[in-house]
Amino acid sequence: MVQAQVFLWACVLIFVPASIVAQDLGVNWGVIASHPLDPKIVVQMIKDNGIKKVKIFHAEKEILDALAGTDLEVMVGIPNESLKSLSEKYSVAQAWVKANITAYMGKKRVNFKYVAVGNEPFLTSYNGTFTNLTLPAMKNVLKALNEAGHGKDIKVSSPLNGDVYTTPTYKPSDGIFRPDIADIMGDICAFLHKNDAAFIVNIYPFLNLYQNPGFPENYAFFDNDDSTSMDDHGVKYRSVLDANIDTLVAALKVAKFPDIPIIVGEVGWPTDGNVYATTKNAKRFYDGLLKKMARNEGTPLRPKTYPDVYMFSLLDEDQKSIDPGMFERHWGIFSFDGQPKYPMDLSGKGQNKSLVGGKNVPYMQKQWCVYNEDAPDQKDLKVKVAWACNNTDCTTLVAGASCSGMGIETNASVAFNMYYQMSNQIKAACDFQGMAKIVKQDPSNGTCKFPIMIKSFQKTSTSSLAHSPPSTSSKSHSSSSPSGSPSPSTSTSPPPPPPLYHSPPLVFLIFVGIFTVWFA
């Protein structure tokens, strides 16, 4: 069983070329960021790139307002934290539908296609917390949609992680649902089949490389030869994508629902925070996926049908939890400011084309905060930098990341600048007892980029239960959800002195360790 789980971390991937199968291409839009882009800019980006579908993790007024009046197909999520109330009280489902669906059915309507109830609620790390809540919540939401007259056009499903199925033999054709939830999965499949809804699954090949030493790297991509292929009774699987899709297909067949359509709700490749998380690998991954989709190739068990796909994700999110890994904040095909990271041809023709970036993005001043090598007092520099990292995003500094191994000054500057930028460039945030200074010349060096922060979009409303509370799990692969990340200081007062005498949190200890190596 352990071996089977290792195989399944391979994760399913799918994607769709804009000019050929654009109707099947979607993107996940997460907003766990210190300075989110204006939703109107984001919606225009999505449209400019020919993407037809968007998946959001909770109903946020500003985002729904920006989507209203467009032809973008919308999958709107309800976070796991709402499952209990939705499952127990039908009135909660009624209120949610009224506030988040019916309210956007006027002249400038939102083109809702799916409500995604929960997000990977059956992860083993949740220890069964949501096992008996998910299906009742789905039923109540669908009942409320039907009552409001929307059920014919809007489907209900629940995005599930690829760990809900397994194969005891490694072979996709032997796929089954996880034994501890097999009965629940059978009931959910019956619900989906009855209501003509799709099975939504989130799978990530990147995690094979990250979590499993010795996993054949080429098998995570699409340009693999037979040297690392998998043989399943004479059928050759050359990518973990096809193997995972067919493992699910086999599990659906065992559950006696072989024809339920599949949607890949999340799939992608991060670009920083780990030795495998690079723009080169991300481009390689998407290039192979897009070419495969352009050829309209199915899998051995579903040779004529390929799932719809939602890329994960649209933008980098600098406040996501790093519990699953330092790469968690770098899944975007665009950087936090809406600029493309690498060439990407959505047609699948393999051309060296660039995506269309965000337009009229409001940046702060062209200035950066860097290490001051002339400071008279260099005492405790490593601790001050570690403190900065604990209060901002230093995931580019870890081993194998874009700013790693570039020396003491560069790495200290990265930490100080990220704290300064995320603190809205207030002067007091670039001090660190004289060890930091503001400069006007871009200190970026090679792969190590020093960003300028954008002016944060100001929300005009706050979320309530009716509008879905902010999701704490925009993506969870193995353990905790992306919540609890330390928020950067936005105060106008000077940063407090480094906390030298109390037990520092884990992230602080991580970066103290990094800087101890640098200064040793």
Side-chain angles (χ1 to χ4, degrees):
M1 183 60 69
V2 173
Q3 291 177 330
Q5 289 175 344
V6 168
F7 160 74
L8 286 173
W9 274 118
C11 312
V12 178
L13 314 173
I14 351 188
F15 194 83
V16 233
S19 63
I20 300 175
V21 284
Q23 69 273 16
D24 297 329
L25 175 61
V27 67
N28 285 271
W29 177 5
V31 293
I32 306 178
S34 63
H35 294 70
L37 269 175
D38 186 328
K40 293 179 181 178
I41 295 177
V42 177
V43 168
Q44 190 59 51
M45 279 174 51
I46 295 171
K47 293 170 62 178
D48 286 345
N49 286 285
I51 298 170
K52 303 299 184 182
K53 301 181 180 184
V54 62
K55 177 167 164 272
I56 57 178
F57 292 95
H58 60 94
E60 187 169 327
K61 182 182 185 303
E62 290 78 11
I63 292 177
L64 293 178
D65 286 345
L67 290 167
T70 72
D71 59 355
L72 295 175
E73 296 184 10
V74 177
M75 181 185 295
V76 58
I78 300 177
N80 293 335
E81 288 73 16
S82 297
L83 293 178
K84 182 174 173 55
S85 59
L86 284 169
S87 65
E88 294 176 348
K89 297 180 180 180
Y90 175 58
S91 60
V92 174
Q94 288 177 303
W96 188 91
V97 168
K98 181 180 180 180
N100 301 298
I101 303 296
T102 304
Y104 293 92
M105 287 296 180
K107 187 175 181 180
K108 291 188 66 176
R109 61 184 293 151
V110 174
N111 187 20
F112 292 111
K113 292 298 181 182
Y114 266 90
V115 175
V117 180
N119 190 48
E120 302 183 343
F122 299 153
L123 282 174
T124 55
S125 58
Y126 289 146
N127 296 316
T129 300
F130 306 111
T131 300
N132 296 319
L133 302 178
T134 304
L135 183 56
M138 293 167 68
K139 290 180 176 179
N140 277 343
V141 170
L142 179 60
K143 181 180 177 181
L145 286 170
N146 287 332
E147 184 182 75
H150 311 312
K152 182 179 179 181
D153 300 317
I154 303 174
K155 305 298 183 183
V156 173
S157 189
S158 180
L160 303 175
N161 188 275
D163 74 345
V164 299
Y165 52 85
T166 185
T167 171
T169 64
Y170 289 112
K171 300 182 185 300
S173 60
D174 292 325
I176 56 173
F177 285 117
R178 213 171 69 211
D180 62 305
I181 56 171
D183 290 342
I184 291 289
M185 290 308 305
D187 292 340
I188 286 179
C189 287
F191 172 87
L192 297 175
H193 177 74
K194 179 181 179 181
N195 297 289
D196 296 319
F199 190 107
I200 304 175
V201 61
N202 303 338
I203 317 177
Y204 291 85
F206 167 79
L207 294 182
N208 282 82
L209 298 178
Y210 176 71
Q211 294 176 330
N212 303 300
F215 182 85
E217 181 174 347
N218 287 337
Y219 193 51
F221 298 93
F222 303 90
D223 50 2
N224 181 28
D225 56 25
D226 285 344
S227 62
T228 54
S229 65
M230 174 182 294
D231 183 89
D232 185 354
H233 304 294
V235 175
K236 293 286 188 180
Y237 286 90
R238 294 179 176 83
S239 76
V240 75
L241 161 67
D242 289 350
N244 270 272
I245 292 176
D246 278 357
T247 304
L248 173 56
V249 171
L252 290 171
K253 184 176 181 180
V254 171
K256 302 188 185 307
F257 296 98
D259 299 321
I260 291 178
I262 296 171
I263 292 176
V264 176
E266 297 179 18
V267 62
W269 199 280
T271 57
D272 215 335
N274 179 261
V275 65
Y276 295 114
T278 65
T279 55
K280 180 180 178 181
N281 279 346
K283 184 179 185 304
R284 178 187 178 190
F285 174 78
Y286 278 120
D287 280 353
L289 180 57
L290 290 168
K291 289 176 182 178
K292 184 178 181 68
M293 294 302 297
R295 295 192 297 267
N296 199 27
E297 293 180 357
T299 63
L301 295 185
R302 284 195 178 178
K304 297 181 180 180
T305 306
Y306 227 80
D308 292 359
V309 176
Y310 289 80
M311 297 176 288
F312 192 91
S313 65
L314 185 66
L315 299 161
D316 284 349
E317 300 171 77
D318 63 6
Q319 287 195 325
K320 292 190 66 179
S321 170
I322 56 174
D323 287 348
M326 296 290 180
F327 52 84
E328 273 296 306
R329 297 173 179 175
H330 304 280
W331 286 97
I333 58 177
F334 293 91
S335 54
F336 71 96
D337 56 352
Q339 303 311 306
K341 296 181 183 178
Y342 46 86
M344 194 175 192
D345 181 7
L346 299 183
S347 73
K349 296 178 181 178
Q351 299 177 11
N352 196 36
K353 299 171 65 174
S354 177
L355 297 174
V356 180
K359 299 173 182 176
N360 302 315
V361 177
Y363 289 93
M364 295 183 184
Q365 293 187 55
K366 290 187 177 181
Q367 56 190 32
W368 298 263
C369 180
V370 300
Y371 167 58
N372 182 10
E373 65 277 7
D374 297 324
D377 185 5
Q378 298 287 333
K379 184 181 179 182
D380 293 327
L381 175 60
K382 64 181 180 181
V383 178
K384 290 181 174 64
V385 174
W387 182 90
C389 284
N390 193 46
N391 288 277
T392 187
D393 177 23
C394 284
T395 53
T396 61
L397 294 180
V398 298
S402 60
C403 293
S404 64
M406 293 190 175
I408 294 170
E409 294 185 5
T410 297
N411 288 283
S413 292
V414 168
F416 291 157
N417 184 64
M418 288 305 300
Y419 182 80
Y420 173 67
Q421 299 294 342
M422 291 179 72
S423 298
N424 298 315
Q425 293 189 352
I426 59 171
K427 185 177 180 181
C430 186
D431 182 25
F432 293 93
Q433 298 176 349
M435 291 189 187
K437 63 182 180 180
I438 296 173
V439 297
K440 300 291 185 178
Q441 184 174 352
D442 187 353
S444 297
N445 179 18
T447 62
C448 186
K449 306 301 181 184
F450 281 65
I452 299 173
M453 189 48 68
I454 61 175
K455 295 177 182 178
S456 182
F457 171 74
Q458 298 300 316
K459 297 180 181 180
T460 58
S461 65
T462 56
S463 297
S464 64
L465 179 61
H467 286 280
S468 293
S471 172
T472 59
S473 57
S474 89
K475 180 172 67 66
S476 303
H477 298 299
S478 56
S479 54
S480 64
S481 58
S483 62
S485 300
S487 299
S489 170
T490 54
S491 169
T492 56
S493 60
L500 299 176
Y501 304 111
H502 69 277
S503 299
L506 176 61
V507 178
F508 179 84
L509 291 173
I510 290 173
F511 286 106
V512 166
I514 292 173
F515 279 87
T516 298
V517 172
W518 289 342
F519 284 81

